[in-house]
Amino acid sequence: MASNRTKTTWIYFFLGCVVVAAGIIAPDRYGDLAYLIAAAQIVPVMLFSYRVDRAPKGLLLAIALIGTFYGLSAVTAGVWGETGVPRFVSNLFELVGGSLMVAGLVILVRQRRGMNTAAVIGDAMIVGLGSWLMAWVAFLQPTLAVSDEPLISSLVAGFYHPTGSVILFLMAVYLFTETKTNASSWFIGASVLATLMGDLIYALVDAGHLGAGVLDFAYSLYTLGYFAVAAAFLHPSVKSLEQTQSSGDSQRLLGRLIITTSSLVFPVIVLAASGPKSTADQIVRSISALVLASAVTLRVVLSVRANSDAQSELLKQAYTDALTGLPNRVLLLDRISSYVNELWRADREPTLFFVDLDRFKNINDSLGHSAGDEVLRIVAERLIGTVPREAMVARLSGDEYVVLDPTTRSLSNASALAERLLSVFREPIALAQGDVFVTASIGVASIDSISVKPEDVLRHADTAMYRAKDSGRNCMAFYDESMHERIAHRLAVETALYRALDRQELRMFHQPILDLDTGEVVGFEALMRWQQGDGTIVSPAEFIPIAEDTGTIIPIGAWALLEALTQLRRWIDDGVCSPQATMSVNVSPRQLADPNLPSVVSEALSRSGVDPSLLWIEITESVMISEPELALATLQKMKALGVRVALDDFGTGYSSLSLLQRFPLQRIKIDRAFVQGVADNPSDRALVRTIVAMGISLGLDMVAEGVESLHQMQVLSELGCKKAQGYLISHPVPADAMRSTVSALERLGRFPLLRGDHRAGQL
Ligand code: C2E
Ligand code: MG
Ligand code: MG
């Protein structure tokens, strides 16, 4: 378990500290033994870590190498008695160990994502140079002055100080960019610190600042360093040591800045405070200061450049679309406004082309988003290749592009360019999945007035684009003022419609359906009316399509069903109509596509207490064409409920015989368009005759809609259509007018003309 491992690690480290302490307190030679134990225990610990935790191999190797070089340095320096090896060799081992450590740390720092490695290395160089200068003044120059060792040996030893500072700096950068606390990192940090402190003591002794007596402490610190490394490998967090992390390094940047600046300030103070001791000293100081100054200058230049690069990248991101690299809405609006504000030459009229791909969603849904992205990129390229050089192609969002052409001179110019833009889509787009075809709808609006706002021009083009979509897609439409008014009106209707139900502005009117043979009212069709707050009555032909589009039809339709059925129940109970009279309720495509419809219907039936066989649902052909599976499933559920289905407006759509066979329909309603001509137009009459014959042979109930004259009624009856509704019989009337309507109709009995047969001969 991880927590047990953590505990074990700490106990191990504590024991290590005991060994170190014993090394300090116990007599001389014991310190050497402690060092030996510390160095030796590293091997099994690292093996364990590799086996159990799969500790990063590279890291293990690096630590082993570094440890070996430091160990060799200690041995050759005479920890276990004089070896006779020159000091120079020992110092070299130490320097190699230190350089390896620098390299390892650079690699670790590199793995921290989001960090500017070049900048860190630059800072590390400044730190190194700064501390070289300090080391020169504090240790090296004095050592050289007192020692009789060869110059090269002292120089190698001298180089170690800057290396140590760089190690410390990199270690700090690494540790402080840690996003999660990682104990292993901190143990390694402690080890590095202990080793460097040991080195410092050594250097102070060498330079004659401290007596040789404190060297024992230096060794104890090295010993501690080895135990800390062991603890780092024992701790379970060693696994994540090499993992890439993202670092939020803005705060740490300040820390780095402080360290880098101090590396600059302290040497300057030291240089100023102590004069050169010799000519050689003066040369070294001057060259070092020069190199340091150059490094700083370079670092500043690089960082300024990086900053300005980052800034322009940010600016680019703010103004362009990442997917296609095209200018985005912000840049487009900016450009439009520059055209709006400019005093335009009279012969030019900058024009906006709003290009929207048709049914782009289908590509995304069927081929996936990466295919969709590819299509968007290719379209962007093609558009750029098509427009004049001065024009801008922008991408607003999703599948919307805008071309802004400042060179347009006339309407015919604009329409030529729109044509060319449409032709961009004639060629198929080659994708990995195969060729696809897309088309686009284009809305065109020009910037013709100084006072207009950029957003308005964009909106105008957008409006025109919707007009193009409405007229069947893959075409263009020009913006004009009336379009704007239509849209504004529609928007007002949409908003008002949302509240109509709550405000009880909706009512049901009913139109009786008459049996032509008996003259009896056999049913009613429920037709919705919307009486707005100001008293104006809006026709369902106007508001039902809007309710369809916005989805308000769902609650409104549910209300209509319940209202109509409740009304029928009341009429039957009050004896207004016969107990077999039916109620027909119109159901729009959106309602039919709603999986809840069957439960809405059955709830309305049970709440009103009307038998399902008394309800007719009227649907139109469109939904059976566009979503046949869905429509079939819903209609079958209706049938299972015992509700019957009528096909409304028959003959106007794409009516096909297969439709009548495939769907569970029990009635067709012959559209008013044919009924109107049935008396006078032979071809209409022929058509109605065929429809009726076909309906009868399929066993369907037939109702004629929109009967306005006795003549029509007579002909229909002769053709075999036995049920009818229309203004001749009765307009749609409010509920409370139904009693008198029905009784007037029943008083009339069979329609007068039908009794006579003087016209029959004409049929
Ligand atoms: P529809 O279902 O075909 O309704 C028949 C339409 O013809 C009604 O128009 C009716 O008033 C009208 N009409 C009836 N007899 C005559 C006639 O002799 N001459 C003429 N010229 N017209 C006649 P209305 O009430 O304006 O309804 C229009 C359409 O709105 C309906 O056509 C129906 O599709 C839809 N609608 C009406 N109420 C509802 C509803 O509650 N829900 C849904 N989804 N649609 C409805
Ligand atoms: Mg109807
Ligand atoms: Mg109809």
Side-chain angles (χ1 to χ4, degrees), residues 375-629:
V375 168
L376 292 174
R377 268 193 294 266
I378 293 175
V379 168
E381 279 166 23
R382 289 191 185 175
L383 290 177
I384 292 172
T386 310
V387 300
R389 207 162 32 81
E390 299 89 333
M392 171 190 259
V393 180
R395 178 167 168 245
L396 294 195
S397 65
D399 56 352
E400 297 172 340
Y401 301 83
V402 170
V403 173
L404 172 56
D405 178 25
T407 64
T408 322
R409 285 163 201 274
S410 64
L411 214 61
S412 64
N413 256 190
S415 103
L417 179 54
E419 262 317 327
R420 286 215 303 284
L421 292 175
L422 281 175
S423 73
V424 154
F425 299 95
R426 300 240 164 86
E427 287 279 301
I429 292 180
L431 297 178
Q433 292 95 327
D435 286 2
V436 293
F437 278 95
V438 280
T439 57
S441 303
I442 301 183
V444 188
S446 54
I447 309 175
D448 48 7
S449 140
I450 305 288
S451 59
V452 80
K453 281 203 270 230
E455 290 85 356
D456 292 342
V457 189
L458 198 57
R459 200 155 34 76
H460 293 168
D462 190 21
T463 307
M465 185 276 292
Y466 272 105
R467 163 59 105 45
K469 288 246 187 242
D470 281 347
S471 29
R473 300 186 163 93
N474 192 16
C475 59
M476 64 173 115
F478 282 79
Y479 175 77
D480 65 59
E481 283 298 320
S482 70
M483 233 183 243
H484 182 70
E485 276 154 28
R486 257 201 314 280
I487 297 243
H489 175 67
R490 182 178 161 130
L491 216 66
V493 174
E494 267 178 28
T495 327
L497 194 56
Y498 271 118
R499 308 208 184 95
L501 196 56
D502 289 342
R503 293 187 177 165
Q504 301 185 330
E505 292 174 351
L506 298 175
R507 300 173 61 188
M508 295 313 273
F509 273 39
H510 301 269
Q511 188 176 39
I513 300 173
L514 205 66
D515 184 312
L516 298 184
D517 279 347
T518 62
E520 204 190 333
V521 173
V522 289
F524 311 90
E525 176 171 6
L527 294 159
M528 204 183 292
R529 297 290 175 266
W530 177 18
Q531 184 159 22
Q532 287 184 315
D534 57 3
T536 47
I537 293 193
V538 187
S539 146
E542 186 182 338
F543 74 82
I544 294 287
I546 297 179
E548 259 283 284
D549 279 358
T550 55
T552 357
I553 192 68
I554 302 285
I556 289 180
W559 169 85
L561 255 166
L562 182 62
E563 187 73 9
L565 289 175
T566 312
Q567 192 58 60
L568 180 67
R569 175 81 264 157
R570 223 173 279 148
W571 283 336
I572 292 176
D573 291 348
D574 296 351
V576 171
C577 60
S578 94
Q580 284 82 39
T582 59
M583 180 58 78
S584 301
V585 180
N586 293 285
V587 165
S588 74
R590 178 100 172 225
Q591 285 174 278
L592 208 61
D594 177 18
N596 278 331
L597 183 67
S599 60
V600 168
V601 169
S602 71
E603 196 193 320
L605 285 166
S606 63
R607 278 181 65 184
S608 58
V610 169
D611 190 84
S613 65
L614 299 185
L615 173 62
W616 283 96
I617 292 287
E618 292 194 6
I619 63 166
T620 50
E621 294 142 317
S622 60
V623 67
M624 295 192 280
I625 309 278
S626 63
E627 302 219 48
E629 308 305 328

